[in-house]
Amino acid sequence: MLGVVLLLLSSFCPGVTVPPPNAPCSRCCDQMPPAEGSGDPPTLAEFAVPEIRTYINMTILKGDKGDRGDRGTPGKVGQEGPAGAQGAAGSKGSKGHAGPPGDPCKLPHSAFSVARRKSLHSDDAYQVVVFDTAFVNLHGDFDMFQGKFLCRVAGVYFFNVNVHSWNFKETYLHIMQNDAEQAVVYAQPSDRSIMQSQSVLLALRPRDAVWVRLFRRERENAIYSDDVDVYITFNGHLVTAGGE
């Protein structure tokens, strides 16, 4: 059987030498002559199939930009970080515009104007001048029975006293704040009566009292008035609120 196979190989492969029966096995290609111009027999690498790599141009396959997707659900709030260092102080800004006026109903007010229609002679060394007529008395701040203005709103107040002197009698009065003299109204005895006036600004605290005191001294002290005309007046009003 082996002889038949060898015979067939020799007939189909001319130039192939059939080895003897006991010769070692060898490939048929080992007996082929080398390629022209090469002194070495061909290797297996020369007969290897080349690797084929596919290249795809992505710019050709890129489609149009799609629509924006829906907003996702917000994530959880993270932990608060440490406080940063205080920054440098900025430059002073420009002065702002004046605001609208406040509600006049909420602004503090205090004012009075009172008068006395009867003459008064000093009987004691010190005598409070009591008034019998009120022209203005906001919130009842002037006590007509005591003849004193009682401060309700702290601030600066303006006060004014007008009196008429009596012929041949001295006129001597003080504008008092609590128990301290603040201003004097004075006229020496004369054969003609005259009008005397005094004004003063006082800073008051709540419950301070301002009043007019007639001071007798050595001579008779008196102020004149009658039922027809008003000669004696005492006025005051709040200029600006503030303080304690």
Side-chain angles (χ1 to χ4, degrees), residues 94-176:
S94 58
K95 184 177 181 180
H97 299 290
D103 187 353
C105 297
K106 296 182 179 180
L107 296 176
H109 295 281
S110 181
F112 72 92
S113 180
V114 293
R116 181 182 176 91
R117 294 181 179 272
K118 296 181 179 180
S119 299
L120 181 63
H121 292 261
S122 59
D123 296 328
D124 300 322
Y126 302 101
Q127 186 174 353
V128 179
V129 179
V130 179
F131 300 86
D132 51 34
T133 302
F135 298 118
V136 174
N137 190 11
L138 295 182
H139 309 290
D141 291 341
F142 191 89
D143 189 332
M144 298 294 292
F145 296 98
Q146 298 185 54
K148 297 181 179 181
F149 169 76
L150 303 177
C151 177
R152 176 178 50 88
V153 180
V156 176
Y157 287 78
F158 172 82
F159 296 97
N160 169 260
V161 175
N162 297 284
V163 296
H164 192 283
S165 65
W166 200 309
N167 293 351
F168 305 106
K169 294 182 181 181
E170 187 177 40
T171 301
Y172 200 133
L173 300 96
H174 283 123
I175 299 176
M176 305 289 294

Side-chain angles (χ1 to χ4, degrees), residues 46-129:
E46 295 179 2
F47 295 96
V49 179
E51 181 181 1
I52 300 175
R53 295 183 179 180
T54 305
Y55 172 75
I56 300 176
N57 189 351
M58 298 302 295
T59 60
I60 300 176
L61 301 179
K62 185 178 180 180
D64 297 333
K65 184 178 180 180
D67 297 333
R68 184 173 182 177
D70 297 335
R71 186 181 182 89
T73 304
K76 296 181 179 180
V77 179
Q79 297 180 353
E80 183 178 359
Q86 183 177 1
S91 56
K92 184 178 180 180
S94 58
K95 184 177 181 180
H97 299 290
D103 187 353
C105 297
K106 296 182 179 180
L107 296 176
H109 295 281
S110 181
F112 72 92
S113 180
V114 293
R116 181 182 176 91
R117 294 181 179 272
K118 296 181 179 180
S119 299
L120 181 63
H121 292 261
S122 59
D123 296 328
D124 300 322
Y126 302 101
Q127 186 174 353
V128 179
V129 179

Side-chain angles (χ1 to χ4, degrees), residues 110-112 141-142 148-160 175-182 200-211 234-244:
S110 181
F112 72 92
D141 291 341
F142 191 89
K148 297 181 179 181
F149 169 76
L150 303 177
C151 177
R152 176 178 50 88
V153 180
V156 176
Y157 287 78
F158 172 82
F159 296 97
N160 169 260
I175 299 176
M176 305 289 294
Q177 180 179 356
N178 299 324
D179 295 327
E181 302 93 345
Q182 299 297 335
V200 65
L201 282 169
L202 297 177
L204 302 183
R205 296 174 298 179
R207 296 179 297 278
D208 277 354
V210 179
W211 47 290
F234 182 31
N235 313 287
H237 66 272
L238 175 65
V239 176
T240 178
E244 299 178 359

Side-chain angles (χ1 to χ4, degrees), residues 205-224:
R205 296 174 298 179
R207 296 179 297 278
D208 277 354
V210 179
W211 47 290
V212 179
R213 183 184 72 177
L214 193 65
F215 183 42
R216 182 174 183 178
R217 227 164 59 153
E218 295 86 4
R219 293 175 288 193
E220 185 179 8
N221 188 2
I223 49 178
Y224 175 82

